[in-house]
Structure formats: structure tokens, C-alpha cells
Amino acid sequence: MTPIVTLLTDFGLRDPYVGIMKAVILSTAPTARLVDLTHQVGPQNILQGAFALASAVRYCPPATVHLAVVDPGVGSGRDAIVVQTHRARYVAPNNGLLTLALENDRPVRAWRLNRPQYFLPEVSRTFHGRDIFAPVAGHLACGRSPEDMGEPLPLDGLVKLTIPRPEETGGGIRARVVYVDRFGNLVTNLMGADIAHRPVRSVRIAQQFIPFAHTYASVPKGDYLCIWGSTGNLEIACSMGDAGGQLSVGEGVEVTVFLEDSSEAPHGGAAGVTP
Amino acid sequence: MTPIVTLLTDFGLRDPYVGIMKAVILSTAPTARLVDLTHQVGPQNILQGAFALASAVRYCPPATVHLAVVDPGVGSGRDAIVVQTHRARYVAPNNGLLTLALENDRPVRAWRLNRPQYFLPEVSRTFHGRDIFAPVAGHLACGRSPEDMGEPLPLDGLVKLTIPRPEETGGGIRARVVYVDRFGNLVTNLMGADIAHRPVRSVRIAQQFIPFAHTYASVPKGDYLCIWGSTGNLEIACSMGDAGGQLSVGEGVEVTVFLEDSSEAPHGGAAGVTP
Amino acid sequence: MTPIVTLLTDFGLRDPYVGIMKAVILSTAPTARLVDLTHQVGPQNILQGAFALASAVRYCPPATVHLAVVDPGVGSGRDAIVVQTHRARYVAPNNGLLTLALENDRPVRAWRLNRPQYFLPEVSRTFHGRDIFAPVAGHLACGRSPEDMGEPLPLDGLVKLTIPRPEETGGGIRARVVYVDRFGNLVTNLMGADIAHRPVRSVRIAQQFIPFAHTYASVPKGDYLCIWGSTGNLEIACSMGDAGGQLSVGEGVEVTVFLEDSSEAPHGGAAGVTP
């Protein structure tokens, strides 16, 4: 069976760019099954794209081809690469977009794409998604080996983003909002493993203490809560509301996380207790 | 042939949530054909989702699996259900989202999903679309019986929304805008059958009388009209314009509908005659 | 193998209209592979739709069925048509939407759709995408001949849009922005062939001179550039920025293009030199 090809870009859905990439993939791999992860990564926001991709790849069947294009360096000297992992294959610019996905799905081999016979006949300087990445993804979906399409790239040649990590400080754990979703949920970079799965008591953000809860529905409508979200990251949310909008908080903002066994913070009240 | 699985959610397309659900469905049902109905239901707006779903289901082939997730109660005690109708199967939270679809496509049997072996191995408290509804939809698409996956739920255990109905009054029929579409068309809850298919003369909305017309193109550009829309509901529209935006009217607003055989209202003029 | 059916509309993705069209296509052609080109053409903006369609069709495999619906005249006397070209088949309203696509992919024959047995049983006056175009696209995908579904339409009966063309003047080439994409790139109507592929030096737009560059990445972040874009048209862009937003320029705006061999304009500076 032809594998799934997932697509993740910052191309949006207003222009036909994504549809064109799909037409190119299907021209090569007519039976490929295409799954959009998202095309609304912020323009040129590689970190946001990396986060979205990493949250999705574990749910895809083995041998999936992941095509990811957030590519501010298109037309410059940055390489186009294929990475083979234990579970999947990735086609992307070598600009760090795969950083987070490859933390959980370790790379085995990588190639730099340098065989134009696997690209479209004419390669533009502005749309490698169409001219290079899509045809290569199609060939991978058809079973062609990456070795045919590029030269080996040592794994330490893979560009990695510097990802901010949570830090344990005297006054709680310093974390950071790394993603804001459509509901206004503020996804932080703190995962359970970072704190040895110790229970969280509250989060301080925008001068408010937000208490921990196990479900959105367990707090009254309109109240803030922090919760382990669907990606395994700690999130700040608002029951039936938009936490990001109401708190005027976006990606990059620092938060402080307090654990149940720590003594620094009061248990946050429903409306948020100012310290 | 593997049936169609439709998807309707309030997850939006900015985050990879919908793509993840599709990856999960295809992991179970590799040949399922996926059709997005919409993912832009207003966050937690069950009634809007119910309306969108009901307008689509009659156009799907028999045996379609409809996966619908607008789920403010995720993680709470609300049930996850499967409903079998004469034409289709539905997977959804038991919160009224199916109310309107099931009015035209009557339920035959229902089940409460309670067999975790058909869910993802780890079920989060925040994303049952991924962890419960998608894998169950995949199993249904593969031909597995709902009986294997849940316990029977009596049909009167299906949660129903209270849907506002049009009312005949002395001064015209009181109806209500229940949906505003991308063009700004104001879809009301009045259907032809509600008035025994008697001809409509005009609608009063936002202090204006809007005359009835048979097609958008039959009135001059910029004029308002009311018209039987594609869902069979009476709509208020603006030729080549955005009625909702221009009239500053949204969901929930009351309108009064006048019939040809009634005497209460003047025939609305093109620019809207104030009574 | 069942051909690809592409879809291009102005229906947006907020309403279930596109999903309903797909359900109708798959009801007729269960194995059709559906590819969305875009559904976010500006409401009733036939020219924008024509441009988007034309930029995509050359990348689709032979025998693709293109379903395009931007249809302000729905329900009026405008015809619904099928056009057969050397490469593809098109289903659309006869309102000029195919103008640009048919410039590169010449029409061979055309038909006016007039056999209701190939439409949905009930044809509304507001949604021919669902009731006429989608079922006909499905029948085409299944291999049914357009001759069965309509009567011949002479090729000179195809409605054509008047497309603004660039003009060579004493003071540079007068061109026009015809499309603004999601990144704010301003796509003009000037193509390389219009100027015999002579090299471009700069563009004047909104009182600024913008220099030519070969890649987005070759100019400093925040600088404007003009560049041959992925459609072959000259574009005005901003490196890592949104040219359209920053210059407050949209579709229809005039620009003046200066060639390397002309003497009218200084070489535009990075920040834009006012003449």
C-alpha cells in the first residue's frame, strides 16, 4: 500500500500553493494518501512549525513520508534534505524545522538532495515546495530510495534549532509559552518528564496565579486553569474561553510553574490571585 | 469499498489537531476516504456545529461514518457515543451535536463507547477527538460493529439541543437567524414546510423590509433580498455583498417573515423600506 | 485509475459547502482523488479565481478534471459548461473563470450542460456547485463523455475576462498587481515573455523604487525586492516581511517596471529610493 504523505507548511490555504504541491505529489505517486497537518504555521516561523510537526508525527503509521516546508532561505544555499528515522522519512529544508520531531523519532541516516532528475524539470528560486520537495516526497512514497536522490549527509550536519528548556530555579520552574492554539490555549515547553512527573500546583503568568486542574470542564466557565495538554505539555487555558486573548499573552512569554511539594506559591484562586 | 469518513470539528486548521485525527483514522483504516465538512465551527458552539452537520449528511453516500467533535465537556462525565441510523453512523460526544442531523436521518440504535481497547493506548483528558473518536471511526470504517465497542444506549438517552422554532404570530412569522455563512448570508430557522410552502413576500430584519427573490442575480448589485437557500432555509442575502456585515446582524437575531397572502407588511423596496 | 478532481471555489472553509461538494463527487465517483486548489478566492472575485486556477493546472496530471466555481450569476441565465482541452477537462460557470487557464491549455471542445439527469435530482437556485457542477465532475471522473451531458458550445461562446496587459511606455513598462498572496507578495501581470526575457532592474510602486533580486534570501531581512515569482510573474516582495501590508498596496495597483537596458530609473536602493 502506498504510504501516507503528510504536509506541513506556512503557505496558508488562500493561495493554490498547497494544492499545486499535492498535484505534483500525485503526478509521481498517484495512489499516495495525503494528510494535511497544517499550512497555517506563521510565515517563516520555523520554531512554530517544528512544534506542530513534532506533536503529530507519533500518530502517523510507520513509513509515513513527512513533507515539511517552512523555508525562509528558499533559493539560498540552504540544503534540501531527506532524513530517515526508525519510523518515518522526512523531506524538508535543512533549517531546523525537524529539530523537535527528531528528538522523539531519532534519525538513522540523512541525505542532501542533489539529483535534479528527481525534481521538476524547471526549478524556481522561490517555490522549492513545488519544484523539489513535492516531487521527492512523491518518489519516496513510490518506494524510491533516498540514496538515489541525494548524497549522504552526516547526522551532525542536520541544523538544529536552539529550543528554550524549562529551568528549575529557587522560586519555581521557569518555563515559556511555545505555542498558542486556535482555542487560545497557551502551550508551554514544560513536559511531565522535565519534573519527574511531580504534581503541578499552579502557574504564574501575567501577574496571575492559575491553579492546576485535570480537565477543562472541572472548573467554572470563564475560569483559568493549567492542565496537561494533548501534546504532553503543560498548558494554560480558560474554560470555554480564550486564555491567550484574555491574558494578552503570546508565544515567547515566560511563566513560572509551582509544584505541589514546593512552598513558594499560594494555591491559585479561581479568578487568579495576585501574589 | 471502504466507506467515507467525514470530519466536523471546532478545531480550526491552524493547529495540527485535525491532521492528527486523520493520521489516527488512517492508521486503523488505511483505505478510508476522508472528507472534511468543516473544522471552523465556532469554538464550543454545539448549535452551529449541529446545523453544519445536518446540512451535509444527506449528500453523503450510504454507510458513511460521520465523526463530529465539538466537545466543551471533554474529560468530564459526558459520554462518547455511536449512533446508527438508516443511512449512516455517527461518532460524537453525547452533547446534542447530532440533534439536527438525526431529525432527518432517524436513529435506529445507539451505544456508549466504553471499551478502551478500541481507543488509543493512552487517553488524554483534553483530546478525545484523537484518542477516542478517531480510532473508533477508523474501526467503524473497517467494518467493526459498534456493539463490539460500546454498550447499548437507549435512544431517549441521546442528549438533544433545544432548537428555536419559528412561530406564527398575528404580525407575521417570528423566526431567527441560526447561521451566518462566509458570504454573510443570514440563514434563518424557517423552512418551506413550516409555512406549508406558501410564498414569502418579505422579511423584516434590523428595521428594514427585505423583499423575496428567487435568485441572487435577479436583484441589482448591492440590494438585499430574502431567498430560499441551499439548505432549504429562508436566508437574507445581499446581491454581491455581505448582508450580515452590512446589517450588523449575527446568529440569534430575530426576524419577522411576511407571506404573500398576509396583509401586515408592505412589499419591501429595494433599499429596504422602514415600516 | 480514476483521475484527480481539483476543486477551486470562493466558498471558504468555514461552511460545509466544500465538504458537501466532495460528498456529491464521491457519491458518483467513489475512487476519485480530490485535490483542493483553494476555496478562499475573494467572494465573487472571478479574476482572482482565474489567476489561481491558471497557476495550478499545468502541475496536474493529464486527464485531470478541474471543478471551478466562483459564480455570482448562480441561478441566472449564465450557462454551466464543460471544456475539453489537450490536457484536461474543466467544469465551471461560463463567466470567464477559465480565461487564464485556457490561454496555456487550449480548448478543443466545449459543451453547455443541459441534461438534468446528470445533476442532483433537485437543483436549487443558489448552490449549483453542489447540484450541477459536482455531480457532473463526478461523472467526468468516472469516464462519462461530456457529449452525454450537454450540447456543443462553439469555442467562441466561451466568456472571456478582459485581462489587463502590461504596456511598454516611454517611462518604463506599466504593469499591475493582479494577485496578493498569503505572504503579502504582490504578483504583477508582467511575465518574462512580455519583455523578451530582458533583465529587470527595478520596479516603482507606491512612490518607491524596489530593486530586482534573484532570491528572497539575497537581500537583508526587511528589505523590499522584485523577483520572478513561482508563477513566472514578476512579484514585489519583502524579505521575511509582508510587502502588501507594509506598502498598503493591493490588487489593481499600477507599478512601473524598469529594465536593465533602460535609462529612466536609478537602481533602487535597499530601503527604496524616492525618485
Side-chain angles (χ1 to χ4, degrees), chain A residues 17 21-22 77 126 164 218:
Chain A
Y17 302 145
M21 289 177 64
K22 292 179 179 174
T126 56
S218 68

Side-chain angles (χ1 to χ4, degrees), chain C:
Chain C
M1 174 161 302
T2 317
I4 287 173
V5 178
T6 75
L7 297 96
L8 177 144
T9 74
D10 64 349
F11 295 164
L13 294 171
R14 212 173 63 92
D15 308 308
Y17 301 145
V18 171
I20 290 170
M21 288 176 64
K22 292 180 178 173
V24 170
I25 296 169
L26 292 174
S27 295
T28 306
T31 61
R33 290 165 295 148
L34 306 178
V35 173
D36 296 303
L37 296 182
T38 176
H39 298 290
Q40 295 183 16
V41 173
Q44 286 109 24
N45 192 333
I46 298 173
L47 179 56
Q48 197 185 74
F51 187 84
L53 183 65
S55 70
V57 295
R58 81 187 83 172
Y59 297 99
C60 296
T64 293
V65 174
H66 298 291
L67 171 52
V69 188
V70 179
D71 192 14
V74 61
S76 72
R78 70 94 189 91
D79 284 332
I81 57 173
V82 169
V83 179
Q84 169 79 56
T85 66
H86 286 290
R87 283 186 61 82
R89 285 156 297 166
Y90 296 80
V91 193
N94 189 15
N95 63 11
L97 183 57
L98 305 181
T99 306
L100 288 164
L102 298 182
E103 286 188 2
N104 298 310
D105 184 18
R106 292 279 171 197
V108 177
R109 296 182 66 188
W111 296 264
R112 194 173 73 79
L113 294 168
N114 67 347
R115 310 270 159 78
Q117 65 268 39
Y118 297 102
F119 307 161
L120 288 197
E122 212 175 314
V123 174
S124 71
R125 304 202 202 212
T126 56
F127 192 5
H128 288 185
R130 174 190 71 192
D131 304 332
I132 295 179
F133 297 113
V136 166
H139 286 298
L140 289 172
C142 286
R144 182 165 290 283
S145 165
E147 294 193 50
D148 297 343
M149 297 190 272
E151 62 179 14
L153 177 76
L155 293 183
D156 61 9
L158 294 174
V159 172
K160 282 191 189 174
L161 298 181
T162 306
I163 307 285
R165 300 287 174 199
E167 277 175 74
E168 203 131 7
T169 72
I173 292 143
R174 193 165 304 154
R176 194 182 283 270
V177 174
V178 289
Y179 190 85
V180 184
D181 78 6
R182 116 74 153 215
F183 297 94
N185 297 326
L186 302 163
V187 183
T188 75
N189 58 348
L190 187 77
M191 306 196 73
D194 294 323
I195 51 172
H197 299 282
R198 285 173 290 167
V200 168
R201 182 200 290 172
S202 64
V203 167
R204 188 177 57 212
I205 183 170
Q207 265 92 53
Q208 297 208 30
F209 282 89
I210 314 281
F212 183 81
H214 285 289
T215 69
Y216 298 130
S218 69
V219 306
K221 184 175 162 173
D223 275 13
Y224 294 109
L225 63 150
C226 64
I227 186 168
W228 292 111
S230 63
T231 52
N233 296 55
L234 193 71
E235 294 181 10
I236 294 105
C238 175
S239 175
M240 303 286 288
D242 167 356
Q246 292 162 218
L247 294 168
S248 297
V249 161
E251 287 166 19
V253 163
E254 278 203 1
V255 305
T256 309
V257 180
F258 301 101
L259 303 182
E260 276 295 353
D261 54 14
S262 77
S263 55
E264 292 93 355
H267 188 94
V273 177
T274 317

Side-chain angles (χ1 to χ4, degrees), chain A residues 109-153:
Chain A
R109 296 182 64 188
W111 295 264
R112 194 173 73 80
L113 294 168
N114 67 348
R115 310 270 159 77
Q117 64 269 40
Y118 298 103
F119 307 161
L120 288 197
E122 212 175 316
V123 173
S124 71
R125 304 201 204 214
T126 56
F127 193 4
H128 288 186
R130 174 191 70 193
D131 304 333
I132 295 180
F133 298 112
V136 166
H139 286 298
L140 288 173
C142 286
R144 183 165 291 282
S145 165
E147 294 192 50
D148 297 343
M149 296 190 273
E151 62 179 17
L153 177 75

Side-chain angles (χ1 to χ4, degrees), chain A residues 215-235:
Chain A
T215 69
Y216 298 130
S218 68
V219 306
K221 185 174 164 173
D223 275 12
Y224 294 110
L225 63 150
C226 63
I227 186 169
W228 293 110
S230 64
T231 53
N233 297 54
L234 193 72
E235 294 180 11

Side-chain angles (χ1 to χ4, degrees), chain A residues 1 4 13 33-41 48 52-53 55-56 59-61 179-183 185 187 214-217 227-231 235 240-241 251, chain B residues 9-20 22-24 26-27 29-32 34 39-44 72-76 120 124-127 130-131:
Chain A
M1 174 161 301
I4 287 173
L13 294 172
R33 289 165 296 149
L34 306 178
V35 172
D36 296 304
L37 295 183
T38 177
H39 299 290
Q40 296 183 17
V41 173
Q48 197 184 75
L53 182 64
S55 71
Y59 296 99
C60 296
Y179 190 86
V180 183
D181 78 8
R182 117 73 153 215
F183 296 94
N185 297 327
V187 182
H214 285 288
T215 69
Y216 298 130
I227 186 169
W228 293 110
S230 64
T231 53
E235 294 180 11
M240 302 286 288
E251 287 167 19
Chain B
T9 74
D10 62 350
F11 295 163
L13 294 172
R14 212 173 64 92
D15 308 308
Y17 303 145
V18 170
I20 290 170
K22 292 179 179 174
V24 170
L26 292 174
S27 295
T31 60
L34 306 178
H39 299 289
Q40 295 183 17
V41 173
Q44 286 107 23
V74 61
S76 72
L120 288 198
S124 71
R125 305 202 202 213
T126 56
F127 193 5
R130 175 190 70 193
D131 304 332

Side-chain angles (χ1 to χ4, degrees), chain B residues 153-178:
Chain B
L153 177 75
L155 294 183
D156 61 9
L158 295 173
V159 172
K160 281 190 188 175
L161 298 181
T162 307
I163 307 286
R165 302 288 174 198
E167 278 174 74
E168 203 130 7
T169 70
I173 292 142
R174 193 165 304 155
R176 192 182 284 268
V177 174
V178 289

